[in-house]
Amino acid sequence: IPVDVFDLVIFGGTGDLARRKILPGLYRRFLAGQMPAESRIIGAARGELSEAEYREQVRAAIAEFVPKARQDTAIEGFLSRLQYVAIDATGTNGWAQLKGLMRENVVRAFYFSVAPGLFGDIAQRLSEHGIADAWSRIVVEKPFGRDLASARALNAVLARHFNETQIYRIDHYLGKETVQNLMAVRFANILFEPLWKAEYIDHVQITVAETVGVNGRGAYYDKSGAMRDMVQNHLMQLLCLIAMEPPYHFDPDAVRDEKLKVIRALKPVPPEDIVRGQYGPGKDEPGYLVHAENPASRTESYIALKVQISNWRWQGVPFYLRTGKRLRARASEIAITFKQPPHAIFDDASGWHENVLVIRLQPNEGMNLMVMIKEPGPGGMRLMQVPLDMSFADAIEDAEDVPDAYERLIMDVIRGNQTLFMRGDEVEAAWAWTDPIIEGWEARGDRPQVYDPGSSGPEDALMLMHRDGRRWREIR
Ligand code: NAD
């Protein structure tokens, strides 16, 4: 779908996120013909660089982060759209130059890809220099606050200079193809919605497992931990999309109203439904405490929670959430396990399993519905579980052409579509639920349980499920 002519200013245009995701994503959109000829990308960052030097940096980033097959002679055309302004977010340097570059009647987007401490400064300076007009949108990276008070303060600063319709709080999980596919499967089919409730669903598991540790950014991570870094935002958003009521229309506020209701209906989580872990040292590798440069750290690199939603639809259906670093495999998935049929006509030895809808976010994005069929052959009524594959990779010709989460979300900003961005009240509600959980373990002085690197997490997390007669799905 074509977009309007735009000027995209990337504050932090020389940073890690810009190099790895934003600029390669924009390049792919350019190759796809989605960047109108007059559009420009303006890198704005602290270093004194000439335009030519910036273009060379971006060329190198594309060579590193775009698959070779996608690298094209068209790169010169893309680089010619790039400009650079050396700017100081907290000072005066560069702002007049930036203002001079702005054009009238062109969509203007400002991507705040800088440390969160600078979000307020940049918003204020954009406003002071008269660049924050009705054509302007801002894209705000994570983390959006570290508790309710700081999130409120940040919302208040942004609201001083921009309307809510101009603020795009990014959660790249919402840009994933499969996450959007989840909404299509739920709301465009008659098959699922009648079963989507406590009567037919036994429980839901949401897993985001990473193999990497926190080395390199340990000191930074140590101030947040898995609850703040992953659960309050990413896992919460996934939970909302599964649990929300059907919105009256696929419209930004209709969708976000329904997500907000879910967050507000989350019950407080008692201490016995929380397991926190920290990876220990391995055979040839240091553990979390060394990576965090904090031998006394009580920050969790893993967390598992049993979450309940107090409304009619989900009464008594637990949502088990877990996420952690330095685990066995890199795997993100949502698994919805359905209940048993009301009456079993096949005997116990038949090999019966529950129906499970598995939504895999990475690797190999896709969806599978596990159903029971008869094992073929003359061996009597033996049952077997087979996947009904709903993966988009098979349904479209070239999976390589599926846009990455960031490029899709940036194009949504240009189009002015906020459906996949978090609204201010949503973020605050999520912190309002998160804060007492964190305050609880801090007040109790809880220590996370140590787990082996490369394992599936702490022992106690297994017990969280076992005591309910359930099991985590394998991380693989
Ligand atoms: P980074 O440290 O690699 O880059 C920071 C950028 O900000 C640089 O371009 C630097 O020049 C610029 N900058 C710093 N101080 C400035 C100032 N006073 N004025 C103007 N520019 C200034 O950071 P990053 O990893 O790219 O992260 C950027 C944002 O994105 C952060 O909010 C981070 O939390 C978020 N984020 C990053 C990742 C990631 O994978 N890197 C993932 C998710 C979210």
Side-chain angles (χ1 to χ4, degrees):
I1 314 168
V3 296
D4 291 335
V5 175
F6 63 86
D7 280 343
L8 172 66
V9 179
I10 309 172
F11 291 104
T14 57
D16 177 65
L17 185 68
R19 282 172 37 76
R20 279 192 312 113
K21 293 289 181 185
I22 304 172
L23 289 158
L26 285 163
Y27 173 58
R28 286 170 52 119
R29 291 297 90 209
F30 170 80
L31 290 183
Q34 248 194 349
M35 206 170 147
E38 305 280 291
S39 302
R40 297 179 309 180
I41 298 164
I42 301 164
R46 212 161 32 173
E48 290 292 338
L49 294 177
S50 68
E51 200 152 85
E53 284 168 331
Y54 186 58
R55 288 179 180 177
E56 286 315 303
Q57 276 198 10
V58 176
R59 185 198 298 279
I62 286 168
E64 193 174 348
F65 297 110
V66 174
K68 287 275 173 292
R70 300 273 140 188
Q71 293 179 24
D72 201 274
T73 45
I75 180 115
E76 300 305 332
F78 177 72
L79 295 178
S80 72
R81 311 287 185 86
L82 294 172
Q83 297 182 350
Y84 183 78
V85 179
I87 209 158
D88 183 4
T90 55
T92 52
N93 185 32
W95 288 97
Q97 190 191 350
L98 184 64
K99 181 177 168 63
L101 286 176
M102 296 290 99
R103 298 179 287 178
E104 294 300 315
N105 301 334
V106 165
V107 171
R108 245 180 235 173
F110 299 99
Y111 198 128
F112 293 9
S113 182
V114 292
L118 299 176
F119 295 166
D121 290 299
I122 295 179
Q124 189 183 331
R125 278 165 180 73
L126 286 171
S127 176
E128 281 168 7
H129 288 83
I131 322 178
D133 64 5
W135 287 85
S136 305
R137 287 145 209 191
I138 59 171
V139 184
V140 186
E141 260 301 332
K142 82 171 219 188
F144 200 91
R146 56 170 283 109
D147 53 21
L148 177 58
S150 54
R152 268 192 187 142
L154 182 51
N155 273 333
V157 171
L158 298 181
R160 237 176 271 146
H161 309 293
F162 296 92
N163 294 327
E164 183 61 35
T165 53
Q166 297 176 289
I167 304 173
Y168 292 72
R169 295 175 195 79
I170 210 160
D171 185 323
H172 69 276
Y173 273 61
L174 293 181
K176 289 180 184 283
E177 183 66 29
T178 310
V179 172
Q180 293 169 65
N181 204 6
L182 166 65
M183 288 193 273
V185 164
R186 259 196 82 183
F187 301 128
N189 295 290
I190 190 69
L191 289 178
F192 294 99
E193 202 49 30
L195 302 182
W196 211 263
K197 54 175 139 178
E199 207 177 337
Y200 300 108
I201 291 182
D202 178 73
H203 74 279
V204 176
Q205 296 186 24
I206 304 179
T207 300
V208 178
E210 296 175 88
T211 50
V212 292
V214 300
N215 25 334
R217 54 191 281 267
Y220 159 81
Y221 183 90
D222 199 47
K223 296 192 195 77
S224 64
M227 185 74 186
R228 287 191 172 98
D229 191 47
M230 297 296 294
V231 177
Q232 184 274 343
N233 41 34
H234 306 315
L235 277 78
M236 173 77 77
Q237 289 294 321
L238 299 179
L239 180 148
C240 283
L241 295 182
I242 299 164
M244 71 183 188
E245 296 299 317
Y248 72 88
H249 192 250
F250 193 58
D251 153 279
D253 277 329
V255 170
R256 296 184 301 177
D257 286 346
E258 295 307 334
K259 282 162 57 195
L260 178 63
K261 286 184 208 161
V262 174
I263 304 175
R264 289 194 172 144
L266 293 177
K267 291 187 188 172
V269 185
E272 62 274 18
D273 289 349
I274 306 168
V275 176
R276 294 162 68 237
Q278 202 181 62
Y279 62 86
K283 214 160 78 180
D284 301 310
E285 57 179 308
Y288 179 86
L289 296 177
V290 173
H291 287 158
E293 300 162 31
N294 178 5
S297 172
R298 292 183 181 188
T299 303
E300 75 284 356
S301 62
Y302 174 101
I303 189 164
L305 306 140
K306 177 178 169 183
V307 176
Q308 310 249 20
I309 303 171
S310 55
N311 63 19
W312 280 34
R313 185 187 283 266
W314 297 111
Q315 198 49 49
V317 181
F319 283 66
Y320 298 97
L321 274 44
R322 66 177 162 166
T323 180
K325 301 209 173 276
R326 208 48 209 97
L327 295 174
R328 175 178 298 150
R330 177 167 177 259
S332 303
E333 65 166 38
I334 302 165
I336 296 157
T337 301
F338 291 86
K339 287 188 170 160
Q340 296 191 10
H343 169 67
I345 67 164
F346 303 111
D347 60 34
D348 287 351
S350 66
W352 182 84
H353 288 281
E354 303 101 335
N355 294 130
V356 187
L357 176 63
V358 182
I359 300 144
R360 194 154 174 108
L361 308 180
Q362 68 188 22
N364 314 323
E365 277 196 71
M367 280 199 208
N368 266 311
L369 178 63
M370 308 304 288
V371 294
M372 298 309 297
I373 60 163
K374 179 188 169 298
E375 199 175 278
M381 186 48 91
R382 296 273 316 148
L383 301 176
M384 65 186 282
Q385 199 179 34
V386 293
L388 274 184
D389 192 341
M390 300 187 280
S391 300
F392 64 82
D394 297 331
I396 56 172
E397 278 179 8
D398 187 356
E400 272 280 294
D401 276 343
V402 174
D404 163 70
Y406 277 93
E407 51 189 284
R408 177 192 314 275
L409 292 173
I410 294 170
M411 287 299 129
D412 279 355
V413 174
I414 306 297
R415 284 191 202 97
N417 185 344
Q418 290 187 302
T419 310
L420 300 175
F421 296 84
M422 295 178 293
R423 211 168 52 191
D425 52 2
E426 249 185 282
V427 178
E428 290 186 17
W431 280 119
W433 174 78
T434 308
D435 275 3
I437 298 175
I438 296 177
E439 283 159 14
W441 74 56
E442 282 177 354
R444 292 188 301 273
D446 290 354
R447 284 186 178 282
Q449 189 179 37
V450 175
Y451 60 94
D452 289 334
S455 71
S456 50
E459 285 290 316
D460 285 356
L462 302 180
M463 289 312 299
L464 185 70
M465 289 285 251
H466 281 181
R467 62 169 206 224
D468 294 346
R470 301 187 177 103
R471 271 190 308 150
W472 290 109
R473 289 168 53 80
E474 224 176 287
I475 297 177
R476 62 196 159 91

